[in-house]
Amino acid sequence: PGYGWIPFDPTGGQVGRPSVIPAGPPVASAKPTPAGSRGTPRPIVSRRPDQEPNGGGSTGGGSANRPGDRLLFGLLGGLLVLLIVAGIVVAWARGPRGEVSPDAAWRTLLRSASRFGFAPRPTQTVYEYADGLARLVPAAGDDLDVVATARVETIYGKATLGQDRLAAVKAATRRLRISLLRLATMRGARRTTGKGPRRLGRRR
């Protein structure tokens, strides 16, 4: 605005001066070679990226897109996952090392069950909580009895357990680390760790 159009001729307004290219020295033409000789250049064939050998483009990664390679990578990945899971299960199954006190065994039990959403209620006693877990995982009932009874006798009864009882608590704790894994499949179940018929606490 305020200037308008300015005429301009990009070709130079027909004022260019043609230049004369001087002739070079004469050069003899090459002799024709027989067809099929070793000196015959191979024709250049252009390919699109999707027509490169091995099915790849200019990135050089075409061989990794073959179905066989993808299957191999999938099998290797699955094997690696299985090895990791197996290592975790073995380490978990071996359980605690050294001497295990009843209090430590009970805290291990609480952590294992709480990870899956089955933590004890504030008003539950040791036997009530262990009984609720035993009703959810019946196979763990005896081990829960061992740990719960040892907890009550040492904390509330101030008793000192012998080596046999401590060994039984340690073995029960190791087994509970595996048996309580079944709680992971009960995510949608009602948390039935409340009061019920007393099954535990048979020892006195």
Side-chain angles (χ1 to χ4, degrees), residues 183-198:
L183 295 175
T185 63
M186 303 177 185
R187 286 287 186 178
R190 185 171 62 90
R191 294 333 191 211
T192 56
T193 57
K195 294 182 179 180
R198 182 69 59 83

Side-chain angles (χ1 to χ4, degrees), residues 54-56 61-73:
N54 298 329
S63 60
N65 295 327
R66 291 181 296 184
D69 294 335
R70 290 196 297 268
L71 178 60
L72 178 60
F73 291 149

Side-chain angles (χ1 to χ4, degrees), residues 3 14 37 56 59 75 97 103 163 172 188 204:
Y3 289 94
Q14 298 180 355
S37 64
T59 59
L75 292 177
R97 298 177 178 86
D103 184 59
Q163 293 299 322
R204 290 294 183 266

Side-chain angles (χ1 to χ4, degrees), residues 106 110 113-114 118-120 124-133 193:
W106 182 254
L110 293 181
S114 298
F118 292 89
Q124 281 183 304
T125 66
V126 173
Y127 285 129
E128 288 172 349
Y129 178 63
D131 179 69
L133 292 178
T193 57

Side-chain angles (χ1 to χ4, degrees), residues 28-173:
S29 60
K31 297 180 180 180
T33 57
S37 64
R38 301 178 65 179
T40 303
R42 298 179 59 184
I44 300 176
V45 180
S46 61
R47 296 188 179 93
R48 297 195 307 270
D50 57 350
Q51 294 178 336
E52 289 294 327
N54 298 329
S58 59
T59 59
S63 60
N65 295 327
R66 291 181 296 184
D69 294 335
R70 290 196 297 268
L71 178 60
L72 178 60
F73 291 149
L75 292 177
L76 292 177
L79 180 60
L80 180 60
V81 171
L82 288 178
L83 290 176
I84 294 175
V85 172
I88 294 175
V89 170
V90 170
W92 185 271
R94 293 183 63 182
R97 298 177 178 86
E99 186 176 346
V100 178
S101 65
D103 184 59
W106 182 254
R107 284 187 279 107
T108 300
L109 168 63
L110 293 181
R111 287 195 301 267
S112 299
S114 298
R115 286 191 182 99
F116 304 114
F118 292 89
R121 297 186 178 91
T123 58
Q124 281 183 304
T125 66
V126 173
Y127 285 129
E128 288 172 349
Y129 178 63
D131 179 69
L133 292 178
R135 283 187 278 111
L136 292 173
V137 187
D142 292 338
D143 293 328
L144 289 167
D145 185 8
V146 172
V147 176
T149 302
R151 163 78 173 180
V152 171
E153 291 181 0
T154 55
I155 298 299
Y156 302 105
K158 305 300 181 182
T160 301
L161 304 184
Q163 293 299 322
D164 293 342
R165 290 287 303 280
L166 291 176
V169 170
K170 180 178 179 180
T173 301

